[in-house]
Amino acid sequence: MATPPSDGPVVTTTRAELDAVLAPARAAGRRVGFVATMGALHAGHASLMARVRQLVDDGPVVVSIFVNPTQFGAGEDLDRYPRTLDDDLAMCAREGVDVVFAPSVEEVYPRGVSTGSATVDAVTVEPGSLAERYEGASRPGHFRGVLTVVAKLFGLVRPDVTVFGQKDYQQLVLVRRMSADLCLRVEVLGGDTVREPDGLALSSRNRYLSPTERTQALALSRALRAAQTAAVDGPAAALAAVLGVLDDADGVEVDYVAVTDRDLGDLPVHVPPGTEGRALVAARVGTTRLIDNVPLAFGATRDH
Ligand code: PAF
């Protein structure tokens, strides 16, 4: 077990330790708040923790730190995913987190994890067709892994409320859907994306970018801002604005761009003014895959 900073969170690694630490709060009927992370924490995570802290008053805030192998595809960055536990614990301490849950893979997946040809027979969450679009189309099986681990973490932590970052918007929509569809009774809220002053959305993967790539990566947020401005002229204008910026961007290999309704569904042909939507982009900058998205408010529909 890692040593927490003084006055920092209690660090637990097993379900028995987690149960023991949370038992008094549960017995007192306090609300439990939860933030699920894979570590490599940054200011975006801190804002989720601060939000949860407010939501549960004097109830415990639990943060999980677990690099979930089942949501990484072959050839993705599981092995090089940053692991920064000491810094993560220091941030949790600063944000007033009460409990960190940092389990081993065996603790979360007692039957093991499928690797190559060795398939483990275990119950998983079927995420539905939304998981095959956007991120899911580029990363087959990703959301099955995400929802399965989040369901496990919900079962272990048994939170009343959780906040997921809107930066991973499809993940937020799917986790919210899972909680509702599987009657998990966890309130799932979305936390605002935190950005650098120049617009880059904070991400644990930004640390892979060279200085040149970091500058090139700004095209993503620039494209999304252009979509927000153009949305007054409808969805097609918003989409054209994103593509216009990205077409001219150096070093950015676009994976997908989408303009959707607020739940990531297709937009109807006629979009009434005032309808809310979402613009999403995924792109590779150097060897780093980045995603970002923004809310849209549609105005006139002269492009339909
Ligand atoms: O967003 C993440 O960091 C991960 O997908 C999550 C929700 C912690 C599940 O592993």
Side-chain angles (χ1 to χ4, degrees), residues 12 14-24 26 155-158:
T12 60
T14 66
R15 48 187 86 189
E17 287 171 357
L18 185 63
D19 284 347
V21 169
L22 291 177
R26 290 199 209 287
L156 290 159
V157 177
R158 289 187 282 141

Side-chain angles (χ1 to χ4, degrees), residues 36-38 45 66 68 71 146 149-150 164 168 171:
T37 83
M38 297 205 298
H45 296 109
F66 178 65
N68 173 37
Q71 69 189 74
V146 169
V149 82
V150 171
F164 277 71
D168 294 297
Q171 170 173 281

Side-chain angles (χ1 to χ4, degrees), residues 1-13 17-18 21-22 41 49 53 60-65 85-102:
M1 197 186 298
T3 316
S6 57
D7 296 330
V10 177
V11 182
T12 60
T13 58
E17 287 171 357
L18 185 63
V21 169
L22 291 177
L41 303 181
M49 296 173 201
R53 173 80 277 153
V61 173
V62 182
V63 169
S64 64
I65 297 179
L85 187 60
D86 289 342
D87 289 349
D88 295 346
L89 294 179
M91 172 173 287
C92 290
R94 284 196 299 277
E95 295 304 325
V97 170
D98 300 285
V99 182
V100 165
F101 181 51

Side-chain angles (χ1 to χ4, degrees), residues 40-58:
L41 303 181
H42 50 65
H45 296 109
S47 77
L48 304 180
M49 296 173 201
R51 175 101 184 273
V52 169
R53 173 80 277 153
Q54 286 177 342
L55 290 164
V56 296
D57 300 322
D58 61 350

Side-chain angles (χ1 to χ4, degrees), residues 11 16 18 31 41 44 48 57 87 98 154 158 190 215 219 225 234 263-264 281 290 303:
V11 182
L18 185 63
R31 272 159 69 76
L41 303 181
L48 304 180
D57 300 322
D87 289 349
D98 300 285
F154 281 3
R158 289 187 282 141
T215 304
R225 278 200 307 276
D263 297 319
L264 297 181
V281 59
L290 299 173
D303 48 7

